[in-house]
Amino acid sequence: MVVAAVTENSIWSAGCFRIPGPVASGSAVILTLTIRVEQTLVFPPNPQLPKPEAPPGVLIVYTEPAEKPKSPLPSIKRSNSSPESAVQIPAIGRFFREKSNSLSAAITKRLSLLTDENDDESDKRKASNVTEFNLSGLKVTVKLKNENDETEQFKGRITFFSRSNCRDSTAVRSYLRDRKLRYVEINIDVYPTREKELIERTRSSAVPQIFFNEKLFGGLVALNSLRNCGLLEERMKELLCRKCPDDAPAPPVYGFDDPEEETADEMVTVVRILRQRLPIQDRLVRMKIVKNCFSASEMVEGLIHQFDCGRKKAIEMGKQLARRHFIHHVFGENEFEDGNHFYRFLEHESFIPRCYNFRGSTNDNEPKSATLISQKLAKIMSAVLESYASEDGCHLDYLGISNSEEFRRYVNLMQELQRVDISTLPASERLAFFLNLHNAMVIHGVISVGHPGSAVIDRRSFNSDFLYVIGGSPYSLTTIVNGVLRNNRRTPYSFTKPFGSGDRRLELALPQVNPLIHFGICNGSKSSPPVRFFTPQGVESELKFAAREFLQRDGIQINLAKRTVHLTRIFKWFSADFGQEKEILKWITSYLDATKAGLLSHLSSDGGAVHIVYQDYDWSVNC
């Protein structure tokens, strides 16, 4: 039993009480206290010194510091300027002494519950369930420590290689979490350079592959076989009894990107020269002040002079710059034409400072293919969910996500979207890309600016002001949902469409509305569908599964006696996508289980009136 005592002269004192007792077999109770004891000691004056004279009107009686019994001090007559509520110094010391005594008594009483072997079984059970108790100004937490805890026994490290959306990897991860075993996961979709190491160590790229220290244990089959025959514990103790050596798979390191071959855009040299030579300034164009622009004729003359080429060649270079989203027409009227037309560089667009995938300068590297970026986005964010979301995807650990290497790599990846050509994606891939991008942007937005809460104004601001620049154009959460995914339909309770008639983003709008998208979109609230990320190949079937899961969980409730159907408000807000109420009920039936589908069909087919009530929507954050 080790006790750190608290003395009267100590300002801060910490103690650790380790008390073996009858709490549980092989267990100990660790009581960690942090106590602040403040006491002011008053020393009497030296009796050889002259006694001070009392101010006029105040009577003070001094007592000698002898061993004789002291008579109580008479009351002091205070001056009119002295507050009557002033606390005397000896009273403060007495207060802390009393608190210290009550603290000691309370702790002793609590600990006696844990150590008294003569108590009956109910008292022991009550004591073993004590996890914390509160005193005045002090909170004490009792932690029950199991001496046989596996995490304390194992000195080594468990490491396993995985991939995103891998069923076997998910099973291994769940097993390790259920056993409360510490482990390091290396997702080769997030860390692609580690795949080479995986092949060198296992002579295969198959996952999952589990390592106990530097020793290869195997995959899910090996884990299940040893677990079923009862030899897993013995094997783990044998391989993890020592500290992890240096030749074991190294944990991923935060802040270091995998080396990739970055190819500079072939027009970068031209762009850098133009940024320095062109007269970029504010101009009056069509009775409007246009900031940071230049004329087409100025750029053409500059190209002819700098590269010693003809005018036709210079105009063609200007069109290439516009197609690669280095420059844009200030009103978006044309790609590039010589003459009295005005353009500006992408970094000078008014929306750029508000885009969260822009970091002070544009990405001048050759844009990666939209397909490659879409695949990386889905894999990285799926890895984020597997590590920082609940099993049903309804709750996210935003703090853990913000500090993760996966999220850091996602933010870096989003810079590749600045000049990417999304129009090359087929419709199905475009659907998966914008669904995934929306859900990832919501997570990024909650981390960066905070969740908007239930206020309508704050939600509208969050949905419209959190922007990414994609292919040279700004995209908010609203424009992605209503402009692209809903084929440029009006936002609920709005009178205007997201894209105007001349908006070049219109070409990315999906050709028709798929109502299933509303069950794949998460807005970061508790009542929204769970967070999901979709694959381009299976996005349609994955959306159907998401709709079934959401509706069967709490998206619909049927009261047969009152002939009432309670629906999520998603059906009310986006009724233009689902149709009239009768059509909504018919549409829902195909996504319900047999019991609910039978009840709903009975209500819809017997000719009676069916009342639809829309459920309250919980806008609180899904953390």
Side-chain angles (χ1 to χ4, degrees), residues 263-296:
T263 305
D265 196 292
E266 61 182 359
M267 301 299 294
V268 165
T269 303
V270 178
V271 171
R272 291 175 179 172
I273 292 174
L274 292 177
R275 285 170 177 164
Q276 296 176 357
R277 301 295 178 86
L278 286 179
I280 300 173
Q281 57 190 2
D282 300 344
R283 303 168 190 259
L284 181 64
V285 182
R286 301 178 189 175
M287 303 303 293
K288 296 180 180 179
I289 298 295
V290 181
K291 295 185 176 182
N292 300 321
C293 63
F294 56 87
S295 68

Coordinates of all heavy atoms in Angstrom, one line a residue, residues 263-296:
T263 N 3.6 15.9 -62.5 CA 4.0 16.4 -63.8 C 3.4 17.9 -63.9 O 2.2 18.1 -63.8 CB 3.4 15.6 -64.9 OG1 3.8 14.2 -64.7 CG2 3.9 16.1 -66.2
A264 N 4.4 18.8 -64.1 CA 3.9 20.2 -64.3 C 3.2 20.3 -65.6 O 3.5 19.7 -66.6 CB 5.2 21.1 -64.3
D265 N 2.1 21.1 -65.5 CA 1.3 21.4 -66.7 C 2.2 22.0 -67.8 O 3.1 22.9 -67.5 CB 0.2 22.3 -66.4 CG -0.9 22.3 -67.5 OD1 -0.6 22.8 -68.6 OD2 -2.0 21.8 -67.2
E266 N 2.0 21.6 -69.1 CA 2.8 22.1 -70.2 C 2.7 23.6 -70.4 O 3.5 24.3 -71.0 CB 2.5 21.4 -71.5 CG 1.1 21.5 -71.9 CD 0.8 20.7 -73.2 OE1 1.8 20.1 -73.7 OE2 -0.3 20.7 -73.6
M267 N 1.6 24.2 -69.9 CA 1.3 25.6 -70.0 C 1.8 26.4 -68.8 O 1.5 27.6 -68.8 CB -0.2 25.9 -70.3 CG -0.8 25.2 -71.5 SD 0.0 25.7 -73.0 CE -0.5 27.4 -73.1
V268 N 2.4 25.8 -67.8 CA 2.8 26.5 -66.6 C 3.8 27.6 -66.9 O 3.7 28.7 -66.4 CB 3.4 25.5 -65.6 CG1 4.1 26.3 -64.5 CG2 2.3 24.7 -65.0
T269 N 4.7 27.4 -67.8 CA 5.7 28.4 -68.2 C 5.0 29.6 -68.7 O 5.4 30.8 -68.4 CB 6.7 27.8 -69.2 OG1 7.4 26.7 -68.6 CG2 7.8 28.9 -69.5
V270 N 4.1 29.4 -69.6 CA 3.3 30.5 -70.2 C 2.6 31.3 -69.1 O 2.6 32.5 -69.1 CB 2.4 30.0 -71.3 CG1 1.6 31.2 -71.9 CG2 3.2 29.3 -72.4
V271 N 1.9 30.5 -68.2 CA 1.1 31.2 -67.2 C 2.0 32.0 -66.3 O 1.6 33.2 -65.9 CB 0.3 30.1 -66.4 CG1 -0.3 30.7 -65.2 CG2 -0.7 29.4 -67.3
R272 N 3.1 31.5 -65.9 CA 4.0 32.3 -65.0 C 4.5 33.5 -65.6 O 4.6 34.6 -64.9 CB 5.1 31.4 -64.5 CG 4.7 30.2 -63.6 CD 5.8 29.3 -63.3 NE 5.3 28.2 -62.4 CZ 6.1 27.1 -62.0 NH1 7.3 27.0 -62.5 NH2 5.6 26.2 -61.2
I273 N 4.8 33.5 -66.9 CA 5.2 34.7 -67.5 C 4.1 35.7 -67.6 O 4.3 36.9 -67.3 CB 5.8 34.4 -68.9 CG1 7.1 33.6 -68.8 CG2 6.0 35.7 -69.7 CD1 7.6 33.1 -70.2
L274 N 2.9 35.3 -67.9 CA 1.8 36.2 -68.1 C 1.4 36.8 -66.7 O 1.0 37.9 -66.6 CB 0.6 35.4 -68.6 CG 0.7 35.0 -70.1 CD1 -0.6 34.2 -70.5 CD2 0.9 36.2 -71.0
R275 N 1.5 36.0 -65.6 CA 1.2 36.6 -64.3 C 2.1 37.7 -63.9 O 1.7 38.7 -63.2 CB 1.3 35.5 -63.2 CG 0.2 34.4 -63.2 CD 0.6 33.3 -62.3 NE -0.5 32.3 -62.3 CZ -0.4 31.1 -61.8 NH1 0.8 30.6 -61.4 NH2 -1.5 30.2 -61.8
Q276 N 3.3 37.7 -64.5 CA 4.3 38.8 -64.2 C 4.2 40.0 -65.1 O 4.4 41.1 -64.7 CB 5.7 38.2 -64.2 CG 6.0 37.2 -63.1 CD 7.4 36.6 -63.2 OE1 8.1 36.9 -64.1 NE2 7.7 35.7 -62.3
R277 N 3.8 39.7 -66.4 CA 3.9 40.7 -67.4 C 2.6 41.4 -67.7 O 2.6 42.6 -68.1 CB 4.4 40.1 -68.7 CG 5.8 39.4 -68.6 CD 6.8 40.5 -68.3 NE 8.1 39.8 -68.2 CZ 9.0 39.6 -69.2 NH1 8.6 39.8 -70.4 NH2 10.2 39.0 -68.9
L278 N 1.4 40.8 -67.5 CA 0.2 41.4 -67.9 C -0.2 42.5 -66.9 O 0.0 42.4 -65.7 CB -0.9 40.3 -67.9 CG -0.9 39.4 -69.1 CD1 -2.1 38.4 -69.0 CD2 -1.0 40.1 -70.4
P279 N -0.8 43.6 -67.4 CA -1.3 44.7 -66.5 C -2.6 44.3 -65.9 O -3.7 44.5 -66.4 CB -1.5 45.8 -67.5 CG -1.7 45.2 -68.8 CD -1.0 43.9 -68.8
I280 N -2.6 43.6 -64.8 CA -3.8 43.1 -64.1 C -4.3 44.3 -63.2 O -3.6 44.7 -62.3 CB -3.5 41.9 -63.2 CG1 -3.0 40.8 -64.1 CG2 -4.7 41.4 -62.4 CD1 -2.5 39.6 -63.4
Q281 N -5.5 44.7 -63.4 CA -6.0 45.8 -62.7 C -7.6 45.8 -62.7 O -8.2 45.1 -63.4 CB -5.5 47.2 -63.3 CG -5.8 47.3 -64.7 CD -5.1 48.5 -65.4 OE1 -4.4 49.2 -64.7 NE2 -5.4 48.7 -66.6
D282 N -8.2 46.7 -61.9 CA -9.6 46.9 -61.9 C -10.1 47.7 -63.0 O -9.4 48.8 -63.3 CB -10.1 47.5 -60.5 CG -9.7 46.7 -59.3 OD1 -9.4 45.5 -59.5 OD2 -9.8 47.2 -58.2
R283 N -11.1 47.3 -63.7 CA -11.6 48.1 -64.9 C -13.1 48.2 -64.8 O -13.8 47.5 -64.2 CB -11.2 47.3 -66.1 CG -9.7 47.1 -66.3 CD -9.4 46.1 -67.4 NE -8.0 45.7 -67.4 CZ -7.1 46.1 -68.2 NH1 -7.4 47.1 -69.1 NH2 -5.8 45.7 -68.1
L284 N -13.6 49.3 -65.5 CA -15.0 49.5 -65.6 C -15.5 48.8 -66.9 O -15.1 49.2 -68.0 CB -15.3 51.0 -65.7 CG -16.8 51.4 -65.8 CD1 -17.6 50.9 -64.6 CD2 -16.9 52.9 -66.0
V285 N -16.3 47.7 -66.7 CA -16.8 47.0 -67.9 C -18.3 46.9 -67.8 O -18.8 46.4 -66.8 CB -16.2 45.5 -67.9 CG1 -16.7 44.8 -69.1 CG2 -14.7 45.6 -67.9
R286 N -19.0 47.4 -68.8 CA -20.4 47.4 -68.8 C -21.1 48.0 -67.6 O -21.9 47.4 -66.9 CB -21.0 46.0 -69.1 CG -20.5 45.4 -70.3 CD -21.0 43.9 -70.5 NE -20.4 43.2 -71.6 CZ -20.6 41.9 -71.8 NH1 -21.4 41.2 -71.1 NH2 -20.0 41.4 -72.9
M287 N -20.5 49.1 -67.2 CA -21.0 49.9 -66.0 C -20.8 49.1 -64.7 O -21.5 49.3 -63.7 CB -22.5 50.2 -66.2 CG -22.8 51.0 -67.4 SD -21.9 52.6 -67.5 CE -22.6 53.4 -66.1
K288 N -19.9 48.1 -64.7 CA -19.6 47.4 -63.5 C -18.1 47.4 -63.3 O -17.3 47.5 -64.2 CB -20.0 45.9 -63.6 CG -21.5 45.7 -63.8 CD -21.8 44.2 -63.9 CE -23.3 44.0 -64.0 NZ -23.7 42.6 -64.1
I289 N -17.7 47.5 -62.0 CA -16.3 47.4 -61.6 C -15.9 46.0 -61.6 O -16.3 45.2 -60.8 CB -16.0 48.1 -60.3 CG1 -16.4 49.6 -60.3 CG2 -14.6 47.9 -59.9 CD1 -15.6 50.4 -61.3
V290 N -15.0 45.6 -62.5 CA -14.5 44.2 -62.6 C -13.0 44.2 -62.1 O -12.2 45.0 -62.6 CB -14.5 43.7 -64.0 CG1 -14.0 42.3 -64.1 CG2 -15.9 43.7 -64.6
K291 N -12.8 43.4 -61.0 CA -11.5 43.5 -60.4 C -10.5 42.5 -60.9 O -10.9 41.4 -61.4 CB -11.6 43.2 -58.9 CG -12.4 44.3 -58.2 CD -12.5 44.1 -56.7 CE -13.2 45.2 -55.9 NZ -13.2 45.0 -54.5
N292 N -9.2 42.9 -60.9 CA -8.1 42.0 -61.2 C -8.3 41.3 -62.6 O -8.2 40.1 -62.7 CB -7.9 40.9 -60.2 CG -7.7 41.5 -58.8 OD1 -6.9 42.4 -58.7 ND2 -8.3 40.9 -57.8
C293 N -8.4 42.1 -63.6 CA -8.7 41.5 -65.0 C -7.7 42.1 -66.0 O -7.0 43.1 -65.7 CB -10.1 41.7 -65.4 SG -10.6 43.5 -65.6
F294 N -7.7 41.5 -67.1 CA -6.8 42.0 -68.2 C -7.6 41.8 -69.5 O -8.5 40.9 -69.6 CB -5.5 41.3 -68.3 CG -5.6 39.8 -68.3 CD1 -5.7 39.1 -69.5 CD2 -5.6 39.1 -67.1 CE1 -5.8 37.7 -69.6 CE2 -5.7 37.7 -67.2 CZ -5.8 37.0 -68.4
S295 N -7.3 42.4 -70.6 CA -8.0 42.3 -71.8 C -7.3 41.2 -72.7 O -6.1 40.9 -72.5 CB -8.0 43.6 -72.6 OG -6.7 43.9 -73.1
A296 N -8.1 40.6 -73.6 CA -7.6 39.6 -74.5 C -6.5 40.1 -75.4 O -5.5 39.4 -75.6 CB -8.7 39.0 -75.3

